[in-house]
Amino acid sequence: MSELAIQELSAELRDAIQSLRTSKGLEEAGIVTRVGDGVAWIYGLRSAGYNEVIEIETLQGGKVTAFALNLLEDEIGAVILGDDSQVVAGAKVTMTGHVLDVPIGPELVGRVVNPLGEPLDGKGPIKAKERGLLERQAPGVMARKSVHEPLMTGLIAIDALTPIGRGQRELLIGDRQTGKTAIALDTMINQAKQKTGVVNVYVAIGQKLSKVAALVERLKREGVMDQTVIVATSPADPAPLLYLAPYAGTAMGEYFRDNGQHALIVHDDLTKHAVAYRQMSLLLRRPPGREAFPGDVFYLHSRLLERAAKLNDDLGAGSLTALPIIETQAGDISAYIPTNVISITDGQIFLETSLFYQGVRPAISVGLSVSRVGGAAQTKAVKSVSGGLKLSLAQFRELASFAQFSSDLDEETKQRIERGQRLTELLKQKQYQPLSIAEQVVSLMAATKGAFDVVPTEKIKDAQAELIAYMEDKHGAVVKTLNKGDKPTEDIEKTILEAAQQVAKGYATAKKKESK
C-alpha cells in the first residue's frame, strides 16, 4: 500500500491498531483494510512470516483463519481459509505465531481428509499425536542415498521399460482420459498385493468428489485402503485449498519417510494445482506476465517434488516416491508447465492418445518415456529379460510404419515385425491386475527368447495366462525364487522356456488346423 493510502486511513482505524499493538505486543496485531475474493489486505503485522497463520475477527464475533502470502513493507496479503463473507474492512487481526501445519502420523492411514487434515469420511476426528509443516526444506545431498531399491508397479510396460525406484520422482503425462490415474492406482494396488509395506498417499487436486468416492470404494475392494491416505479437494473448493493439497499430502508422506518407512505419493494433478496458484497470484496482484508466472510455477513444483527422496542409512533409509500427474493439451509436452515438471522429475511416462484408442493400454509411448534412474532401481530378475526390449519395440514401430508401404519384405524384417506385434500385445494389461515379479519374468522370457513366436498375435494374452498358471501349478518353487527378485539361474531359464514351448505347442497346432 502506498504512503498516501496509509495516511488516508481513518483516525479510528489507526487508534484501533495502536490499542491492539499495545495490548498484544507491537508487531502482533493488524487491521483489515480491504477484502474480496478470499483475499484480505492487512495493515500492520510487520513481523509476520511467509505462510504464517493469522486470525481475523468476524462480524459474529468468531474468528476466521488465513495465512500470509504477500509480504509487503506496510501491509500483507493474506489468503482466507474459511468463509470470507464474514470478514469486513476494519476487522482486527492477530498473529498465532505458527506457520501452516497438518496432523501427521499412522492415525491418518485409511482416512480421507481435506488439505487441513480435517476428516471427510464421517469416521470421527483424527487423533494424531504429531503435526507436520506444510512447507519444509527438502533433504540435502548429504542426507540422501542414490535410488537403488525398486518400487514395482505391477505393470510390465513400466517395470521392464521405465522402472521406478523408491525415492524417485516419475512424471505421468498425457492428454485427459488416457489412463494416467489408472497407472497410479495400479501402482498403489500392487504395493498391497506384493505386501511391500509402502504407504500410499493419494492427493486429489480439484477432482470430482464422485470420482474420489469411486476410487475409495475400489481401493477398499482391493484391500488397499488400510494402507492409504487420501487428501481430497473438489472443483467447488476455494483455490487456497487446492494450492495447499499437494503440500499437505507431502507432509503426511514425509512422516513415514523420516521414520524409516517407505511411502508413495500421487499428485493428481499438478496442472490444476498451477491453475489454483495462478488464481491466487492474480487476486494478490502478482505480475501475471510470461516472465513471472512460469518461473513461479517452476519454484512451486520444484520445492514440492524435491521433498521426495531416498534417505541415507544414518537417517533411517526411508523413502518418499512421487508420481506427479500432468495433463497435456493435444499431446503438447513442450508447453511451459509440462516442461517445468519434466525438468524437475527423474523421468516421465508419456501416454499417447493414438495408442490408447488403438487399444494399447497402458498407452505408453516407448520413444518419449524415460527413467533417469533406470536399471539401477530394477530387480535383477526383470532386468535380465528386459535388456533389448525397448530397442526391439522402437525398431518395430519404425518398421511397422515403413511396412505399410511395402508388400515384399525380407524374412528378417517380417520376423522383427511379428515379434514386435507379439511384444506389444504382451505389454497390454487390464486395469486392477498388477503382475508379480515372477509373472513378469516368465511372460517376458517366453516372448523375447522366441518361445511364443509360433503363437498367433491375438492369442498371446491367452498363452501368457496359461503359462503363468502352468508355472504356478507345476513349478511353484521356481515362482517363489523369482519373486525374490534375483537373477534367474540357467536351470530356471531352461525350466521357463520348456514350459513356454509346451504351452505354445497347443496354440501352434490350433493355428495349423485353422489354416487347413
Side-chain angles (χ1 to χ4, degrees):
M1 185 187 271
S2 68
E3 200 65 42
L4 184 64
I6 294 166
Q7 286 169 5
E8 285 172 0
L9 277 171
S10 64
E12 297 95 83
L13 288 184
R14 274 181 291 188
D15 290 344
I17 291 169
Q18 199 53 50
S19 63
L20 267 170
R21 283 183 169 181
T22 309
S23 63
K24 297 286 292 181
L26 186 62
E27 303 294 349
E28 290 182 10
I31 208 145
V32 175
T33 57
R34 58 191 192 280
V35 65
D37 295 314
V39 170
W41 294 93
I42 298 155
Y43 176 64
L45 302 186
R46 281 196 170 191
S47 62
Y50 180 74
N51 264 0
E52 183 163 353
V53 178
I54 55 177
E55 290 180 338
I56 305 170
E57 288 186 9
T58 61
L59 290 168
Q60 273 78 25
K63 286 185 177 178
V64 167
T65 56
F67 64 98
L69 212 59
N70 261 29
L71 302 174
L72 305 177
E73 194 178 347
D74 291 305
E75 69 174 353
I76 64 167
V79 179
I80 298 168
L81 288 170
D83 180 14
D84 68 341
S85 62
Q86 299 300 313
V87 179
V88 293
K92 294 171 183 177
V93 186
T94 51
M95 282 160 59
T96 59
H98 67 267
V99 292
L100 280 169
D101 59 7
V102 284
I104 57 171
E107 295 85 2
L108 285 143
V109 177
R111 303 298 301 267
V112 182
V113 297
N114 72 5
L116 301 175
E118 297 161 349
L120 297 174
D121 51 12
K123 291 183 182 176
I126 292 164
K127 294 168 183 169
K129 297 180 184 71
E130 293 181 51
R131 295 187 73 85
L133 297 177
L134 260 78
E135 292 265 12
R136 252 181 80 190
Q137 201 165 350
V141 176
M142 299 307 288
R144 295 173 184 249
K145 191 177 183 182
S146 60
V147 175
H148 64 281
E149 301 165 309
L151 183 118
M152 300 296 288
T153 64
L155 299 165
I156 300 188
I158 295 175
D159 293 336
L161 299 170
T162 53
I164 300 170
R166 289 180 181 176
Q168 192 175 337
R169 298 148 305 174
E170 185 81 2
L171 170 65
L172 299 173
I173 185 168
D175 288 2
R176 64 188 298 272
Q177 299 292 316
T178 49
K180 300 183 294 297
T181 305
I183 287 178
L185 272 183
D186 281 348
T187 306
M188 288 161 65
I189 290 166
N190 195 50
Q191 305 317 307
K193 283 201 170 172
Q194 305 308 323
K195 296 182 175 63
T196 58
V198 174
V199 176
N200 304 307
V201 181
Y202 178 83
V203 183
I205 307 165
Q207 302 286 343
K208 287 180 187 169
L209 289 181
S210 58
K211 184 183 171 184
V212 177
L215 184 139
V216 171
E217 281 309 308
R218 187 76 212 200
L219 291 177
K220 280 179 183 171
R221 213 182 317 159
E222 299 289 341
V224 189
M225 197 58 207
D226 55 4
Q227 62 180 70
T228 303
V229 182
I230 291 181
V231 181
T233 56
S234 76
D237 286 325
L241 283 184
L242 271 66
Y243 162 74
L244 294 174
Y247 293 101
T250 302
M252 292 166 191
E254 278 177 330
Y255 169 85
F256 301 101
R257 181 200 73 190
D258 296 343
N259 283 283
Q261 292 171 266
H262 303 283
L264 165 73
I265 185 162
V266 178
H267 299 292
D268 192 4
D269 65 298
L270 290 185
T271 311
K272 291 189 182 77
H273 184 234
V275 169
Y277 174 75
R278 182 174 176 82
Q279 185 181 328
M280 284 168 53
S281 295
L282 293 172
L283 291 171
L284 287 162
R285 309 282 173 87
R286 290 181 175 181
R290 285 284 304 182
E291 64 284 347
F293 184 62
D296 272 10
V297 171
F298 180 86
Y299 181 55
L300 182 78
H301 290 155
S302 65
R303 71 178 194 260
L304 170 73
L305 294 171
E306 285 294 333
R307 289 160 70 179
K310 166 71 184 165
L311 297 183
N312 64 31
D313 295 342
D314 295 340
L315 293 173
S319 71
L320 177 62
T321 311
L323 293 180
I325 294 175
I326 287 283
E327 189 180 290
T328 53
Q329 304 290 330
D332 180 18
I333 57 170
S334 62
Y336 70 85
I337 291 175
T339 49
N340 266 351
V341 186
I342 284 170
S343 62
I344 294 163
T345 50
D346 309 308
Q348 71 275 351
I349 293 164
F350 180 66
L351 301 177
E352 239 175 302
T353 314
S354 57
L355 286 176
F356 185 82
Y357 292 129
Q358 285 168 29
V360 179
R361 297 174 191 181
I364 295 168
S365 163
V366 179
L368 290 172
S369 300
V370 65
S371 171
R372 283 184 262 280
V373 174
Q378 205 170 15
T379 52
K380 290 185 176 73
V382 177
K383 195 174 184 178
S384 67
V385 289
S386 63
L389 191 61
K390 199 163 191 178
L391 185 64
S392 299
L393 283 167
Q395 284 176 337
F396 157 66
R397 296 267 158 89
E398 287 297 315
L399 288 170
S401 57
F402 170 70
Q404 290 173 354
F405 307 102
S406 177
S407 54
D408 52 331
L409 296 169
D410 63 274
E411 207 54 48
E412 192 190 340
T413 307
K414 269 185 190 170
Q415 201 177 347
R416 272 190 184 174
I417 289 172
E418 283 176 14
R419 177 77 62 87
Q421 285 169 340
R422 288 183 177 89
L423 284 173
T424 303
E425 198 63 32
L426 189 80
L427 294 181
K428 290 181 185 177
Q429 209 167 321
K430 286 182 181 173
Q431 200 179 348
Y432 312 122
Q433 292 180 11
L435 299 174
S436 68
I437 297 172
E439 289 167 345
Q440 292 188 28
V441 172
V442 165
S443 307
L444 284 170
M445 196 176 286
T448 54
K449 301 276 186 184
F452 274 5
D453 282 0
V454 292
V455 181
T457 307
E458 65 276 8
K459 296 284 184 186
I460 283 287
K461 292 308 282 182
D462 296 338
Q464 181 194 11
E466 198 177 312
L467 174 61
I468 288 168
Y470 181 87
M471 288 298 295
E472 283 173 353
D473 183 36
K474 297 277 196 291
H475 303 287
V478 170
V479 171
K480 206 175 274 184
T481 307
L482 286 173
N483 274 328
K484 288 175 185 170
D486 297 329
K487 187 179 176 180
T489 61
E490 283 182 19
D491 289 344
I492 288 176
E493 278 191 32
K494 194 180 172 187
T495 305
I496 294 168
L497 288 173
E498 280 172 3
Q501 283 157 0
Q502 187 69 32
V503 168
K505 254 184 210 170
Y507 290 93
T509 313
K511 190 181 178 184
K512 278 177 189 170
K513 282 179 184 172
E514 278 175 30
S515 60
K516 281 178 185 177

